[in-house]
Amino acid sequence: MAAAVLLMAAPVVWFQQPLYFFNPDIEYVKAKTLRVLAGSFFTDPVTGFPNFHPPWYHVILSIPARLGIGLDTLLRYAAVQNVALILLFSWLILKRLFDRRTALCTALLVPFIFQHMGPGQIYLATAFYYSLPFYLAGLWLYLGPATTTKNLLTALLWGMAFLISPVYLFAVGFVFVYELLVRRDLRRAGAMVSVFLATITPFFVQAHSVYGPGLAGSSSFALWRGLPDSTWWMGFLSYLVSPVLGAPLTWPVPFAIAAGTIGMIGYFRRKKRLPFLYIAAAAFLFTAYHFSFTYASRILYLVALLLTGCAVEYVWTMIPRRSMAILVLVAAILAGTADHYWRYLNLYQEQAKGFADYERALAGLKANLGKYIDPAGYILATDLTYRMMIMPHVAVHGLLAYKTGEYFQLNPDISRRMQADYNRLMGSDNTAVIDMLCDAYNITTAVAGETSEMTLPVFRTIAETWTLVFHDEYFRIYVKPSRSS
């Protein structure tokens, strides 16, 4: 298992970069951490409104960041930690439910399971991936011999996981329902629910900050979405067999389906049932409905892990010759490991090609922009420039500079209004309109790319009426005349 951890973590250590450097989720993590460092826990770093994006991962990152450790370094460490702990606790959970041989073989298949039967992107150092080891550690304790201390620690770990990523709502809630209605262990259930609710108290404070001003309404979560129609079920089935892409025609899909099918056969042939498998399956279905298919793929990993364990266990009994069973399982492990390395080494190599150019283009802007921005205000920039060059490095809001506000869990009415203002601003060469919208959002600084972005009407007008305070071969920074005087 130690060798497996080293092998999985090796690409991060070798390339010395957090993967998905240009991923919006990673850029958002950096922006959120900068906002926490500025003392704003619940404010969305982009829109400026309170939202339900959990800040607790970013609070954790902000502690070493305050001590001077760079965010890229922290995310690299987080990725290595996540990989190691996900693999470790997956193995420990499997040992609770199967024999050591089955647990080891299944754990070595985790790279394939995670990528093709779960959320994928195991090196993505975002809140969910950081929360998963907390949830798995709690599950490992829960599946073991029950003691009061373990019950309370399980609830504490699940509460911490929920604070970092509320996607565990049903994965945790259905366990409590099982304890109450099936096992009828009121004392255990009551103790666990009490500790869990006490642990997530900060979430209720956060909820008040969103619901109090009437900012709720994002479709990230909904209690009722209507009866699922044929389109929903088709999408659900597509993500069930291909949870990363929702594309059922990719080559790993038959192998994932085979593992799941053999696992179900093996499960119904084994004498000892796994109640948590039913709980995880129900949590997956409810998460897909109330959250989204993307969120559901995160819970699907729990189902896939147990089904693959049943499949491995069944292979040992189905193939009478041990040497043949070993050959089949070793081939599957090697294929999964090879797929993992091929995929992620290619991703790293593609990222490395543009990383030096990115750093070079960013240098001047990053060194100078902080002198001219108001962290409580907004900045005028295109969505691409804001997302890639400003948001991860300087604490300043953007005028909803990324497609729709749903990405930021923003109320749809506010989202549409901000998006309309952004589009109107970018297309205007009218000084009065530009001034009106900039005043409405407290915009006193503008950043434009030196080449294509300077051809936009708004930046052509700003070049004539605002003050140029910085420019290099990549970017220009303008400030309103009143600000520069």
Side-chain angles (χ1 to χ4, degrees), residues 122-364:
I122 197 167
Y123 296 127
L124 188 63
T126 55
F128 164 72
Y129 294 84
Y130 193 82
S131 72
L132 185 56
F134 289 92
Y135 179 83
L136 294 176
L139 181 59
W140 170 59
L141 291 173
Y142 173 74
L143 294 174
T147 67
T148 301
T149 301
K150 287 183 179 180
N151 294 339
L152 300 182
L153 187 54
T154 293
L156 175 66
L157 288 166
W158 282 352
M160 294 170 66
F162 182 90
L163 283 179
I164 297 171
S165 180
V167 72
Y168 302 103
L169 175 64
F170 297 109
V172 172
F174 286 169
V175 170
F176 297 155
V177 172
Y178 172 77
E179 291 293 326
L180 282 169
L181 301 183
V182 179
R183 297 188 63 176
R184 298 184 180 181
D185 192 336
L186 301 183
R187 178 177 295 182
R188 185 184 190 190
M192 293 179 70
V193 170
S194 299
V195 171
F196 178 79
L197 292 177
T199 305
I200 67 169
T201 298
F203 178 79
F204 300 125
V205 177
Q206 185 178 1
H208 176 74
S209 72
V210 174
Y211 281 99
L215 296 175
S218 166
S219 65
S220 297
F221 177 83
L223 287 173
W224 176 249
R225 298 184 188 275
L227 293 174
D229 56 15
S230 58
T231 301
W232 187 91
W233 281 111
M234 288 300 296
F236 174 79
L237 292 174
S238 294
Y239 272 87
L240 178 63
V241 299
S242 180
V244 174
L245 299 174
L249 297 181
T250 53
W251 72 264
V253 168
F255 297 96
I257 292 175
T261 302
I262 296 172
M264 285 189 285
I265 295 172
Y267 173 75
F268 287 111
R269 283 177 174 262
R270 74 192 317 259
K271 295 179 180 179
K272 190 175 181 180
R273 293 288 179 254
L274 304 174
F276 183 76
L277 181 58
Y278 298 110
I279 295 171
F284 164 62
L285 181 61
F286 275 72
T287 303
Y289 178 80
H290 292 284
F291 284 91
S292 69
F293 296 145
T294 302
Y295 286 161
S297 68
R298 302 169 182 180
I299 305 302
L300 183 60
Y301 173 68
L302 304 174
V303 181
L305 184 69
L306 299 190
L307 280 181
T308 305
C310 291
V312 170
E313 182 182 59
Y314 185 58
V315 166
W316 285 114
T317 59
M318 181 180 65
I319 302 177
R321 291 181 58 185
R322 178 170 294 184
S323 59
M324 288 300 298
I326 292 174
L327 182 63
V328 169
L329 292 172
V330 167
I333 292 168
L334 291 177
T337 304
D339 171 76
H340 173 83
Y341 267 89
W342 175 83
R343 182 178 307 278
Y344 286 106
L345 290 180
N346 282 339
L347 281 174
Y348 258 120
Q349 288 169 356
E350 286 298 315
Q351 175 176 293
K353 289 178 183 178
F355 184 72
D357 292 337
Y358 174 81
E359 292 270 277
R360 188 163 48 251
L362 174 66

